[in-house]
Amino acid sequence: MLGPFPKRPTVEGMRVGLIGAGRIGEHHAGTLAGLDRVTELLITDVAVDRAAATAAAVGAGIAASLDELLRRVDALVVAAPTDQHAELILAGVGAGLPVFCEKPIALDLARTGKVVAAAAAAGVAVQMGFQRRFDAGFAEAARLVSTGELGDLYLVRASTHDPEPPPPHYVARSGGIFRDMLVHDFDALRFVTGQEVDEVYADGSVRAFEQFAEHDDVDTAAVTLRFSGGTLGVVLGARHDPRGYDIRLEVFGSGDSVAVGWDDRTPLRSIEPGAPPLPGPAYRFFQDRFAAAYRAELAAFIEVAAGERPSACTVVDAEWALRIAEACELSRRQHRPVMLTEVPPQRP
């Protein structure tokens, strides 16, 4: 059993523990090592060699076990595989540590609800890794909505396209396109509109990649949403886009219309006569599209861990996004609109 653990004071210099040295963990390690307020970074991973290689690359230390890590740090960053997120968040809050965790908490509402309840009972801050909240474009769209500069909000339209589909072993454990991929859009739309989702209708198909059909999943999806304030939304998702990694949001109101994700690297080709080609190379990976957002969210988490600001994306926010994804999957399977009240939160 872990513990007991000392109560840690707020500190200017932060000792941070990172669990997971895979693709996103390695990326976070480099970011954390570059933050001025992170005075010590410790990494642990079940693959000891991988943890050692990542630590050596960024000048971090290694913790031999989760128990050791929890005893030596002031804050915890979880970048382990999805099926470990819930238990690692519970371990962190049980140790009195502020926790940052990549999405999702879990792929089911029961385990998600257990973590939500535990975090509330412990009174420990948890920030979930929905990095679009820290992207400059998404943040500005949210500001324009909240200040009323867009007027009455009519419609929001979001798109997420991956450049290549994930490998079959990832598809098998991903939870499906709504829980794994479009859940980012669901969180972003709640963040930007300031409204909750009341109802969804979702559909999907397998257009090119049979590994999705083998797991009762789809490679292409479309969702319509009705929000609590009357705004309508559309979310489009594709597991393959030959032009690159395409993340966009359009927001239409009575006073103005704005777009997020439209720059000189947007992987979209205009065929209007005389339209110039976009000058930059298209985005190919999430790391380059959201490099600044990833840094901003971890810098914000250090402030959360120091008690200087509340979490900008809580476990309840993550639970809402999962509920929307669950409603979409139910809608796809049953070919009908689904109210969010049909997918209530679950508590132990």
Side-chain angles (χ1 to χ4, degrees):
M1 180 178 295
L2 301 175
F5 298 91
K7 183 173 179 61
R8 298 166 175 82
T10 297
V11 291
E12 179 63 26
M14 191 72 60
R15 300 170 298 168
V16 178
L18 172 63
I19 304 175
R23 181 174 62 168
I24 191 63
E26 185 177 30
H27 186 79
H28 285 336
T31 300
L32 289 164
L35 296 179
D36 291 339
R37 295 184 67 178
V38 177
T39 56
E40 183 179 6
L41 177 63
L42 293 175
I43 302 173
T44 190
D45 193 294
V46 292
V48 178
D49 292 345
R50 186 167 61 193
T54 300
V58 301
I62 301 172
S65 67
L66 175 61
D67 198 352
E68 178 190 348
L69 188 76
L70 296 178
R71 291 180 183 279
R72 293 177 58 185
V73 300
D74 305 302
L76 190 66
V77 173
V78 176
T82 293
D83 60 3
Q84 299 175 30
H85 287 183
E87 292 307 315
L88 291 173
I89 296 172
L90 291 173
V93 300
L97 291 172
V99 178
F100 173 92
C101 184
E102 278 301 323
K103 67 85 185 169
I105 297 172
L107 292 176
D108 64 275
L109 288 169
R111 283 187 299 163
T112 297
K114 180 180 179 181
V115 170
V116 172
V124 176
V126 180
Q127 180 178 321
M128 297 302 300
F130 286 95
Q131 84 281 355
R132 294 185 197 182
R133 289 176 178 243
F134 294 89
D135 175 80
F138 281 92
E140 177 63 5
R143 187 193 71 80
L144 290 171
V145 171
S146 67
T147 60
E149 292 177 59
L150 297 189
D152 294 328
L153 197 58
Y154 294 154
L155 182 71
V156 288
R157 182 166 57 210
S159 299
T160 291
H161 300 172
D162 278 344
E164 297 290 343
H169 72 270
Y170 182 89
V171 175
R173 57 182 175 81
S174 71
I177 195 169
F178 302 115
R179 298 183 189 92
D180 174 58
M181 182 183 185
L182 298 186
V183 71
H184 278 289
D185 297 273
F186 303 148
D187 179 73
L189 290 181
R190 289 185 65 244
F191 169 64
V192 169
T193 65
Q195 301 177 36
E196 301 298 0
V197 174
D198 283 343
E199 184 181 32
V200 303
Y201 179 78
D203 205 352
S205 61
V206 175
R207 300 294 300 138
F209 303 96
E210 287 302 316
Q211 66 261 38
F212 292 97
E214 293 170 7
H215 299 285
D216 196 20
D217 194 6
V218 296
D219 59 24
T220 308
V223 183
T224 59
L225 311 97
R226 182 177 294 276
F227 291 87
S228 56
T231 299
L232 298 178
V234 177
V235 174
L236 305 175
R239 289 291 197 177
H240 176 233
D241 187 328
R243 296 198 64 84
Y245 183 65
D246 191 2
I247 308 294
R248 281 177 289 120
L249 173 68
E250 299 166 7
V251 188
F252 305 94
S254 62
D256 200 0
S257 299
V258 297
V260 178
W262 185 254
D263 60 23
D264 63 4
R265 298 186 64 186
T266 302
L268 194 65
R269 182 170 66 92
S270 174
I271 56 173
E272 292 296 329
L278 295 175
Y283 293 109
R284 296 302 305 176
F285 304 102
F286 62 87
Q287 293 100 324
D288 61 336
R289 169 63 178 85
F290 288 113
Y294 280 119
R295 181 178 178 84
E297 73 172 353
L298 287 177
F301 172 64
I302 298 304
E303 296 176 358
V304 171
E308 298 169 358
R309 62 182 290 179
S311 171
C313 189
T314 68
V315 287
V316 174
D317 290 316
E319 183 179 50
W320 259 105
L322 178 61
R323 288 178 61 205
I324 298 166
E326 291 273 8
C328 288
E329 186 60 31
L330 181 61
S331 175
R332 180 184 77 87
R333 291 176 183 273
Q334 298 186 359
H335 298 286
R336 66 175 180 90
V338 173
M339 300 292 294
L340 263 291
T341 52
E342 299 180 56
V343 190
Q346 298 182 26
R347 294 290 182 271

PDB file of all heavy atoms in Angstrom, residues 272-303:
ATOM      1  N   GLU A 272     -10.584  27.584 -56.215  1.00  0.00           N
ATOM      2  CA  GLU A 272     -11.131  28.781 -56.827  1.00  0.00           C
ATOM      3  C   GLU A 272     -10.118  29.344 -57.824  1.00  0.00           C
ATOM      4  O   GLU A 272      -8.907  29.342 -57.546  1.00  0.00           O
ATOM      5  CB  GLU A 272     -11.452  29.831 -55.761  1.00  0.00           C
ATOM      6  CG  GLU A 272     -12.595  29.452 -54.845  1.00  0.00           C
ATOM      7  CD  GLU A 272     -13.920  29.326 -55.587  1.00  0.00           C
ATOM      8  OE1 GLU A 272     -14.112  30.052 -56.593  1.00  0.00           O
ATOM      9  OE2 GLU A 272     -14.757  28.512 -55.165  1.00  0.00           O
ATOM     10  N   PRO A 273     -10.582  29.820 -58.976  1.00  0.00           N
ATOM     11  CA  PRO A 273      -9.653  30.370 -59.966  1.00  0.00           C
ATOM     12  C   PRO A 273      -8.798  31.495 -59.376  1.00  0.00           C
ATOM     13  O   PRO A 273      -9.306  32.420 -58.736  1.00  0.00           O
ATOM     14  CB  PRO A 273     -10.574  30.907 -61.067  1.00  0.00           C
ATOM     15  CG  PRO A 273     -11.830  30.106 -60.922  1.00  0.00           C
ATOM     16  CD  PRO A 273     -11.977  29.853 -59.459  1.00  0.00           C
ATOM     17  N   GLY A 274      -7.491  31.393 -59.543  1.00  0.00           N
ATOM     18  CA  GLY A 274      -6.589  32.431 -59.077  1.00  0.00           C
ATOM     19  C   GLY A 274      -6.206  32.348 -57.619  1.00  0.00           C
ATOM     20  O   GLY A 274      -5.383  33.141 -57.145  1.00  0.00           O
ATOM     21  N   ALA A 275      -6.780  31.416 -56.867  1.00  0.00           N
ATOM     22  CA  ALA A 275      -6.442  31.299 -55.442  1.00  0.00           C
ATOM     23  C   ALA A 275      -5.012  30.786 -55.301  1.00  0.00           C
ATOM     24  O   ALA A 275      -4.659  29.761 -55.890  1.00  0.00           O
ATOM     25  CB  ALA A 275      -7.401  30.350 -54.746  1.00  0.00           C
ATOM     26  N   PRO A 276      -4.159  31.488 -54.533  1.00  0.00           N
ATOM     27  CA  PRO A 276      -2.771  31.053 -54.399  1.00  0.00           C
ATOM     28  C   PRO A 276      -2.678  29.819 -53.500  1.00  0.00           C
ATOM     29  O   PRO A 276      -3.495  29.635 -52.590  1.00  0.00           O
ATOM     30  CB  PRO A 276      -2.081  32.249 -53.742  1.00  0.00           C
ATOM     31  CG  PRO A 276      -3.175  32.906 -52.952  1.00  0.00           C
ATOM     32  CD  PRO A 276      -4.431  32.719 -53.765  1.00  0.00           C
ATOM     33  N   PRO A 277      -1.700  28.954 -53.725  1.00  0.00           N
ATOM     34  CA  PRO A 277      -1.507  27.819 -52.822  1.00  0.00           C
ATOM     35  C   PRO A 277      -0.986  28.304 -51.467  1.00  0.00           C
ATOM     36  O   PRO A 277      -0.336  29.363 -51.385  1.00  0.00           O
ATOM     37  CB  PRO A 277      -0.454  26.974 -53.544  1.00  0.00           C
ATOM     38  CG  PRO A 277       0.305  27.957 -54.383  1.00  0.00           C
ATOM     39  CD  PRO A 277      -0.710  28.976 -54.818  1.00  0.00           C
ATOM     40  N   LEU A 278      -1.302  27.595 -50.433  1.00  0.00           N
ATOM     41  CA  LEU A 278      -0.785  27.955 -49.116  1.00  0.00           C
ATOM     42  C   LEU A 278       0.731  27.759 -49.116  1.00  0.00           C
ATOM     43  O   LEU A 278       1.240  26.746 -49.592  1.00  0.00           O
ATOM     44  CB  LEU A 278      -1.444  27.096 -48.040  1.00  0.00           C
ATOM     45  CG  LEU A 278      -2.953  27.321 -47.867  1.00  0.00           C
ATOM     46  CD1 LEU A 278      -3.527  26.336 -46.853  1.00  0.00           C
ATOM     47  CD2 LEU A 278      -3.236  28.748 -47.423  1.00  0.00           C
ATOM     48  N   PRO A 279       1.476  28.708 -48.558  1.00  0.00           N
ATOM     49  CA  PRO A 279       2.934  28.666 -48.694  1.00  0.00           C
ATOM     50  C   PRO A 279       3.644  27.663 -47.797  1.00  0.00           C
ATOM     51  O   PRO A 279       4.719  27.175 -48.137  1.00  0.00           O
ATOM     52  CB  PRO A 279       3.352  30.099 -48.332  1.00  0.00           C
ATOM     53  CG  PRO A 279       2.275  30.582 -47.421  1.00  0.00           C
ATOM     54  CD  PRO A 279       1.002  29.947 -47.924  1.00  0.00           C
ATOM     55  N   GLY A 280       3.075  27.365 -46.644  1.00  0.00           N
ATOM     56  CA  GLY A 280       3.796  26.530 -45.689  1.00  0.00           C
ATOM     57  C   GLY A 280       3.541  25.052 -45.892  1.00  0.00           C
ATOM     58  O   GLY A 280       2.545  24.656 -46.514  1.00  0.00           O
ATOM     59  N   PRO A 281       4.418  24.196 -45.360  1.00  0.00           N
ATOM     60  CA  PRO A 281       4.139  22.759 -45.382  1.00  0.00           C
ATOM     61  C   PRO A 281       2.959  22.439 -44.479  1.00  0.00           C
ATOM     62  O   PRO A 281       2.815  23.024 -43.401  1.00  0.00           O
ATOM     63  CB  PRO A 281       5.433  22.138 -44.841  1.00  0.00           C
ATOM     64  CG  PRO A 281       6.030  23.213 -43.982  1.00  0.00           C
ATOM     65  CD  PRO A 281       5.681  24.504 -44.653  1.00  0.00           C
ATOM     66  N   ALA A 282       2.094  21.560 -44.908  1.00  0.00           N
ATOM     67  CA  ALA A 282       0.908  21.224 -44.117  1.00  0.00           C
ATOM     68  C   ALA A 282       1.318  20.592 -42.792  1.00  0.00           C
ATOM     69  O   ALA A 282       2.371  19.952 -42.679  1.00  0.00           O
ATOM     70  CB  ALA A 282       0.011  20.274 -44.899  1.00  0.00           C
ATOM     71  N   TYR A 283       0.486  20.793 -41.781  1.00  0.00           N
ATOM     72  CA  TYR A 283       0.715  20.104 -40.513  1.00  0.00           C
ATOM     73  C   TYR A 283       0.645  18.599 -40.742  1.00  0.00           C
ATOM     74  O   TYR A 283      -0.256  18.096 -41.416  1.00  0.00           O
ATOM     75  CB  TYR A 283      -0.344  20.510 -39.483  1.00  0.00           C
ATOM     76  CG  TYR A 283      -0.252  21.943 -39.043  1.00  0.00           C
ATOM     77  CD1 TYR A 283      -1.221  22.881 -39.438  1.00  0.00           C
ATOM     78  CD2 TYR A 283       0.777  22.381 -38.233  1.00  0.00           C
ATOM     79  CE1 TYR A 283      -1.150  24.206 -39.033  1.00  0.00           C
ATOM     80  CE2 TYR A 283       0.855  23.716 -37.815  1.00  0.00           C
ATOM     81  CZ  TYR A 283      -0.106  24.606 -38.228  1.00  0.00           C
ATOM     82  OH  TYR A 283      -0.030  25.918 -37.820  1.00  0.00           O
ATOM     83  N   ARG A 284       1.585  17.864 -40.131  1.00  0.00           N
ATOM     84  CA  ARG A 284       1.615  16.423 -40.295  1.00  0.00           C
ATOM     85  C   ARG A 284       1.342  15.674 -38.990  1.00  0.00           C
ATOM     86  O   ARG A 284       0.921  14.521 -39.015  1.00  0.00           O
ATOM     87  CB  ARG A 284       2.976  15.961 -40.840  1.00  0.00           C
ATOM     88  CG  ARG A 284       3.295  16.463 -42.239  1.00  0.00           C
ATOM     89  CD  ARG A 284       2.254  16.049 -43.262  1.00  0.00           C
ATOM     90  NE  ARG A 284       2.026  14.609 -43.305  1.00  0.00           N
ATOM     91  CZ  ARG A 284       1.109  14.026 -44.066  1.00  0.00           C
ATOM     92  NH1 ARG A 284       0.315  14.763 -44.826  1.00  0.00           N
ATOM     93  NH2 ARG A 284       0.965  12.709 -44.060  1.00  0.00           N
ATOM     94  N   PHE A 285       1.593  16.307 -37.861  1.00  0.00           N
ATOM     95  CA  PHE A 285       1.449  15.628 -36.579  1.00  0.00           C
ATOM     96  C   PHE A 285       0.830  16.580 -35.555  1.00  0.00           C
ATOM     97  O   PHE A 285       0.935  17.805 -35.690  1.00  0.00           O
ATOM     98  CB  PHE A 285       2.813  15.137 -36.063  1.00  0.00           C
ATOM     99  CG  PHE A 285       3.539  14.240 -37.022  1.00  0.00           C
ATOM    100  CD1 PHE A 285       4.580  14.724 -37.788  1.00  0.00           C
ATOM    101  CD2 PHE A 285       3.158  12.910 -37.175  1.00  0.00           C
ATOM    102  CE1 PHE A 285       5.250  13.904 -38.670  1.00  0.00           C
ATOM    103  CE2 PHE A 285       3.817  12.081 -38.064  1.00  0.00           C
ATOM    104  CZ  PHE A 285       4.870  12.581 -38.816  1.00  0.00           C
ATOM    105  N   PHE A 286       0.235  16.001 -34.516  1.00  0.00           N
ATOM    106  CA  PHE A 286      -0.375  16.834 -33.486  1.00  0.00           C
ATOM    107  C   PHE A 286       0.678  17.634 -32.733  1.00  0.00           C
ATOM    108  O   PHE A 286       0.408  18.727 -32.248  1.00  0.00           O
ATOM    109  CB  PHE A 286      -1.218  15.996 -32.517  1.00  0.00           C
ATOM    110  CG  PHE A 286      -0.464  14.965 -31.735  1.00  0.00           C
ATOM    111  CD1 PHE A 286       0.147  15.275 -30.534  1.00  0.00           C
ATOM    112  CD2 PHE A 286      -0.375  13.649 -32.187  1.00  0.00           C
ATOM    113  CE1 PHE A 286       0.830  14.322 -29.797  1.00  0.00           C
ATOM    114  CE2 PHE A 286       0.304  12.683 -31.460  1.00  0.00           C
ATOM    115  CZ  PHE A 286       0.916  13.026 -30.264  1.00  0.00           C
ATOM    116  N   GLN A 287       1.915  17.104 -32.648  1.00  0.00           N
ATOM    117  CA  GLN A 287       2.944  17.823 -31.897  1.00  0.00           C
ATOM    118  C   GLN A 287       3.294  19.163 -32.522  1.00  0.00           C
ATOM    119  O   GLN A 287       3.527  20.141 -31.803  1.00  0.00           O
ATOM    120  CB  GLN A 287       4.220  16.977 -31.778  1.00  0.00           C
ATOM    121  CG  GLN A 287       4.073  15.728 -30.936  1.00  0.00           C
ATOM    122  CD  GLN A 287       3.889  14.503 -31.814  1.00  0.00           C
ATOM    123  OE1 GLN A 287       3.251  14.580 -32.861  1.00  0.00           O
ATOM    124  NE2 GLN A 287       4.436  13.374 -31.391  1.00  0.00           N
ATOM    125  N   ASP A 288       3.344  19.239 -33.871  1.00  0.00           N
ATOM    126  CA  ASP A 288       3.685  20.530 -34.454  1.00  0.00           C
ATOM    127  C   ASP A 288       2.462  21.443 -34.541  1.00  0.00           C
ATOM    128  O   ASP A 288       2.587  22.656 -34.370  1.00  0.00           O
ATOM    129  CB  ASP A 288       4.387  20.373 -35.812  1.00  0.00           C
ATOM    130  CG  ASP A 288       3.559  19.680 -36.867  1.00  0.00           C
ATOM    131  OD1 ASP A 288       2.657  18.918 -36.499  1.00  0.00           O
ATOM    132  OD2 ASP A 288       3.832  19.894 -38.067  1.00  0.00           O
ATOM    133  N   ARG A 289       1.265  20.894 -34.748  1.00  0.00           N
ATOM    134  CA  ARG A 289       0.068  21.732 -34.785  1.00  0.00           C
ATOM    135  C   ARG A 289      -0.178  22.396 -33.440  1.00  0.00           C
ATOM    136  O   ARG A 289      -0.603  23.565 -33.367  1.00  0.00           O
ATOM    137  CB  ARG A 289      -1.148  20.889 -35.195  1.00  0.00           C
ATOM    138  CG  ARG A 289      -2.508  21.570 -35.032  1.00  0.00           C
ATOM    139  CD  ARG A 289      -2.654  22.789 -35.921  1.00  0.00           C
ATOM    140  NE  ARG A 289      -3.976  23.389 -35.788  1.00  0.00           N
ATOM    141  CZ  ARG A 289      -4.317  24.261 -34.840  1.00  0.00           C
ATOM    142  NH1 ARG A 289      -3.426  24.641 -33.935  1.00  0.00           N
ATOM    143  NH2 ARG A 289      -5.535  24.757 -34.790  1.00  0.00           N
ATOM    144  N   PHE A 290       0.064  21.669 -32.341  1.00  0.00           N
ATOM    145  CA  PHE A 290      -0.268  22.186 -31.015  1.00  0.00           C
ATOM    146  C   PHE A 290       0.955  22.341 -30.117  1.00  0.00           C
ATOM    147  O   PHE A 290       0.834  22.283 -28.883  1.00  0.00           O
ATOM    148  CB  PHE A 290      -1.288  21.268 -30.343  1.00  0.00           C
ATOM    149  CG  PHE A 290      -2.663  21.356 -30.941  1.00  0.00           C
ATOM    150  CD1 PHE A 290      -3.205  20.278 -31.623  1.00  0.00           C
ATOM    151  CD2 PHE A 290      -3.411  22.508 -30.836  1.00  0.00           C
ATOM    152  CE1 PHE A 290      -4.479  20.350 -32.174  1.00  0.00           C
ATOM    153  CE2 PHE A 290      -4.678  22.601 -31.392  1.00  0.00           C
ATOM    154  CZ  PHE A 290      -5.215  21.518 -32.066  1.00  0.00           C
ATOM    155  N   ALA A 291       2.120  22.574 -30.700  1.00  0.00           N
ATOM    156  CA  ALA A 291       3.347  22.698 -29.894  1.00  0.00           C
ATOM    157  C   ALA A 291       3.205  23.783 -28.825  1.00  0.00           C
ATOM    158  O   ALA A 291       3.535  23.565 -27.651  1.00  0.00           O
ATOM    159  CB  ALA A 291       4.542  22.994 -30.803  1.00  0.00           C
ATOM    160  N   ALA A 292       2.726  24.959 -29.215  1.00  0.00           N
ATOM    161  CA  ALA A 292       2.581  26.055 -28.253  1.00  0.00           C
ATOM    162  C   ALA A 292       1.519  25.738 -27.210  1.00  0.00           C
ATOM    163  O   ALA A 292       1.665  26.082 -26.028  1.00  0.00           O
ATOM    164  CB  ALA A 292       2.237  27.350 -28.985  1.00  0.00           C
ATOM    165  N   ALA A 293       0.449  25.061 -27.624  1.00  0.00           N
ATOM    166  CA  ALA A 293      -0.629  24.728 -26.684  1.00  0.00           C
ATOM    167  C   ALA A 293      -0.151  23.727 -25.636  1.00  0.00           C
ATOM    168  O   ALA A 293      -0.506  23.837 -24.459  1.00  0.00           O
ATOM    169  CB  ALA A 293      -1.825  24.164 -27.439  1.00  0.00           C
ATOM    170  N   TYR A 294       0.645  22.740 -26.054  1.00  0.00           N
ATOM    171  CA  TYR A 294       1.167  21.766 -25.091  1.00  0.00           C
ATOM    172  C   TYR A 294       2.052  22.454 -24.046  1.00  0.00           C
ATOM    173  O   TYR A 294       1.981  22.142 -22.849  1.00  0.00           O
ATOM    174  CB  TYR A 294       1.959  20.680 -25.801  1.00  0.00           C
ATOM    175  CG  TYR A 294       1.106  19.600 -26.428  1.00  0.00           C
ATOM    176  CD1 TYR A 294       1.129  19.366 -27.794  1.00  0.00           C
ATOM    177  CD2 TYR A 294       0.270  18.813 -25.643  1.00  0.00           C
ATOM    178  CE1 TYR A 294       0.344  18.375 -28.366  1.00  0.00           C
ATOM    179  CE2 TYR A 294      -0.514  17.824 -26.200  1.00  0.00           C
ATOM    180  CZ  TYR A 294      -0.472  17.610 -27.564  1.00  0.00           C
ATOM    181  OH  TYR A 294      -1.260  16.629 -28.129  1.00  0.00           O
ATOM    182  N   ARG A 295       2.869  23.374 -24.494  1.00  0.00           N
ATOM    183  CA  ARG A 295       3.719  24.087 -23.545  1.00  0.00           C
ATOM    184  C   ARG A 295       2.864  24.939 -22.603  1.00  0.00           C
ATOM    185  O   ARG A 295       3.094  24.965 -21.393  1.00  0.00           O
ATOM    186  CB  ARG A 295       4.726  24.961 -24.289  1.00  0.00           C
ATOM    187  CG  ARG A 295       5.663  25.725 -23.353  1.00  0.00           C
ATOM    188  CD  ARG A 295       6.702  26.545 -24.106  1.00  0.00           C
ATOM    189  NE  ARG A 295       7.540  27.290 -23.184  1.00  0.00           N
ATOM    190  CZ  ARG A 295       8.602  26.813 -22.569  1.00  0.00           C
ATOM    191  NH1 ARG A 295       8.965  25.558 -22.788  1.00  0.00           N
ATOM    192  NH2 ARG A 295       9.306  27.562 -21.734  1.00  0.00           N
ATOM    193  N   ALA A 296       1.879  25.622 -23.154  1.00  0.00           N
ATOM    194  CA  ALA A 296       1.032  26.496 -22.340  1.00  0.00           C
ATOM    195  C   ALA A 296       0.244  25.702 -21.300  1.00  0.00           C
ATOM    196  O   ALA A 296       0.079  26.155 -20.165  1.00  0.00           O
ATOM    197  CB  ALA A 296       0.086  27.287 -23.231  1.00  0.00           C
ATOM    198  N   GLU A 297      -0.259  24.504 -21.674  1.00  0.00           N
ATOM    199  CA  GLU A 297      -1.063  23.759 -20.709  1.00  0.00           C
ATOM    200  C   GLU A 297      -0.212  23.229 -19.566  1.00  0.00           C
ATOM    201  O   GLU A 297      -0.662  23.192 -18.416  1.00  0.00           O
ATOM    202  CB  GLU A 297      -1.847  22.621 -21.382  1.00  0.00           C
ATOM    203  CG  GLU A 297      -1.050  21.432 -21.808  1.00  0.00           C
ATOM    204  CD  GLU A 297      -1.916  20.266 -22.283  1.00  0.00           C
ATOM    205  OE1 GLU A 297      -3.148  20.348 -22.147  1.00  0.00           O
ATOM    206  OE2 GLU A 297      -1.347  19.280 -22.783  1.00  0.00           O
ATOM    207  N   LEU A 298       1.027  22.819 -19.845  1.00  0.00           N
ATOM    208  CA  LEU A 298       1.885  22.335 -18.763  1.00  0.00           C
ATOM    209  C   LEU A 298       2.393  23.493 -17.901  1.00  0.00           C
ATOM    210  O   LEU A 298       2.525  23.348 -16.676  1.00  0.00           O
ATOM    211  CB  LEU A 298       3.051  21.531 -19.327  1.00  0.00           C
ATOM    212  CG  LEU A 298       2.664  20.145 -19.858  1.00  0.00           C
ATOM    213  CD1 LEU A 298       3.862  19.439 -20.466  1.00  0.00           C
ATOM    214  CD2 LEU A 298       2.053  19.276 -18.759  1.00  0.00           C
ATOM    215  N   ALA A 299       2.660  24.642 -18.509  1.00  0.00           N
ATOM    216  CA  ALA A 299       3.019  25.817 -17.718  1.00  0.00           C
ATOM    217  C   ALA A 299       1.856  26.219 -16.802  1.00  0.00           C
ATOM    218  O   ALA A 299       2.065  26.577 -15.631  1.00  0.00           O
ATOM    219  CB  ALA A 299       3.397  26.980 -18.636  1.00  0.00           C
ATOM    220  N   ALA A 300       0.641  26.128 -17.324  1.00  0.00           N
ATOM    221  CA  ALA A 300      -0.534  26.422 -16.506  1.00  0.00           C
ATOM    222  C   ALA A 300      -0.675  25.417 -15.373  1.00  0.00           C
ATOM    223  O   ALA A 300      -1.051  25.780 -14.246  1.00  0.00           O
ATOM    224  CB  ALA A 300      -1.791  26.427 -17.375  1.00  0.00           C
ATOM    225  N   PHE A 301      -0.375  24.147 -15.663  1.00  0.00           N
ATOM    226  CA  PHE A 301      -0.482  23.131 -14.611  1.00  0.00           C
ATOM    227  C   PHE A 301       0.490  23.411 -13.469  1.00  0.00           C
ATOM    228  O   PHE A 301       0.156  23.179 -12.300  1.00  0.00           O
ATOM    229  CB  PHE A 301      -0.233  21.738 -15.175  1.00  0.00           C
ATOM    230  CG  PHE A 301      -0.130  20.687 -14.107  1.00  0.00           C
ATOM    231  CD1 PHE A 301      -1.213  20.398 -13.296  1.00  0.00           C
ATOM    232  CD2 PHE A 301       1.063  20.016 -13.878  1.00  0.00           C
ATOM    233  CE1 PHE A 301      -1.125  19.453 -12.273  1.00  0.00           C
ATOM    234  CE2 PHE A 301       1.171  19.064 -12.870  1.00  0.00           C
ATOM    235  CZ  PHE A 301       0.073  18.781 -12.059  1.00  0.00           C
ATOM    236  N   ILE A 302       1.688  23.894 -13.770  1.00  0.00           N
ATOM    237  CA  ILE A 302       2.629  24.228 -12.701  1.00  0.00           C
ATOM    238  C   ILE A 302       2.029  25.310 -11.804  1.00  0.00           C
ATOM    239  O   ILE A 302       2.176  25.271 -10.575  1.00  0.00           O
ATOM    240  CB  ILE A 302       3.981  24.680 -13.289  1.00  0.00           C
ATOM    241  CG1 ILE A 302       4.610  23.542 -14.105  1.00  0.00           C
ATOM    242  CG2 ILE A 302       4.930  25.135 -12.189  1.00  0.00           C
ATOM    243  CD1 ILE A 302       4.796  22.247 -13.335  1.00  0.00           C
ATOM    244  N   GLU A 303       1.323  26.262 -12.391  1.00  0.00           N
ATOM    245  CA  GLU A 303       0.643  27.282 -11.593  1.00  0.00           C
ATOM    246  C   GLU A 303      -0.494  26.677 -10.774  1.00  0.00           C
ATOM    247  O   GLU A 303      -0.731  27.068  -9.623  1.00  0.00           O
ATOM    248  CB  GLU A 303       0.117  28.395 -12.501  1.00  0.00           C
ATOM    249  CG  GLU A 303       1.211  29.164 -13.224  1.00  0.00           C
ATOM    250  CD  GLU A 303       0.664  30.199 -14.183  1.00  0.00           C
ATOM    251  OE1 GLU A 303      -0.582  30.285 -14.315  1.00  0.00           O
ATOM    252  OE2 GLU A 303       1.468  30.923 -14.787  1.00  0.00           O
TER     253      GLU A 303
END
